[in-house]
Amino acid sequence: SLTAKSQMTEGPESKGNTGTFNVSAAVNHIVSHAQPRPTNRCAYHVGTAMVAGGIPLRSPPPSAYQYRGYLERYGFQQVSASDYRPGDIAVLQNSPANRHGHIQMYTGSQWVSDYVQQGFWPGGSSSQQPPFVIYRKP
């Protein structure tokens, strides 16, 4: 079992103008803190996973959809919505049905936010498909 300190220094890393993002540490954190059901705290959970991966978030936005653009301050770049890689972050736009939007991280096999999702779309339903952006730290 890895200690928290060793998780911060092991695994694939990507460098950007704001330092190193330890993808393994971020993914391990979000998976280990995922709840059995949604808690409406996706932004908090993805944010703490990013911090565990070495991204020093300052004044994170209160709503998930507000991470769009905010992530670029930390060297994340928009990528195409295909060929997902571990550590990719999807930011879903807010809507009348969900005023805060949604944010989630790809583990390499599944999307996780505050809970382990059944697929890309939160709640397992693809009936509501708001616009979204995928971010990756190069």
Side-chain angles (χ1 to χ4, degrees):
S1 170
L2 298 173
T3 65
K5 184 175 181 180
S6 67
Q7 287 178 349
M8 294 294 282
T9 58
E10 294 180 357
E13 297 177 345
S14 57
K15 295 183 186 293
N17 60 2
T18 56
T20 301
F21 181 44
N22 185 318
V23 173
S24 292
V27 166
N28 288 341
H29 182 88
I30 201 162
V31 168
S32 67
H33 290 83
Q35 301 299 307
R37 290 182 291 285
T39 64
N40 297 319
R41 298 199 65 206
C42 59
Y44 171 79
H45 281 271
V46 172
T48 59
M50 291 173 63
V51 170
I55 303 298
L57 296 183
R58 303 272 189 270
S59 302
S63 290
Y65 78 92
Q66 294 171 323
Y67 273 78
R68 183 173 181 167
Y70 174 80
L71 292 174
E72 294 167 11
R73 295 184 201 172
Y74 295 94
F76 284 80
Q77 297 176 352
Q78 292 186 25
V79 296
S80 70
S82 63
D83 188 34
Y84 302 124
R85 297 182 190 167
D88 282 0
I89 297 172
V91 180
L92 285 67
Q93 187 59 41
N94 61 333
S95 67
N98 185 350
R99 68 185 181 109
H100 294 289
H102 186 68
I103 188 169
Q104 57 200 24
M105 182 179 287
Y106 190 62
T107 67
S109 61
Q110 59 196 3
W111 289 96
V112 179
S113 52
D114 48 338
Y115 69 105
V116 177
Q117 300 177 189
Q118 298 302 309
F120 180 86
W121 300 107
S125 169
S126 60
S127 63
Q128 301 243 343
Q129 296 184 358
F132 65 92
V133 176
I134 305 295
Y135 287 94
R136 181 177 297 150
K137 181 91 156 120

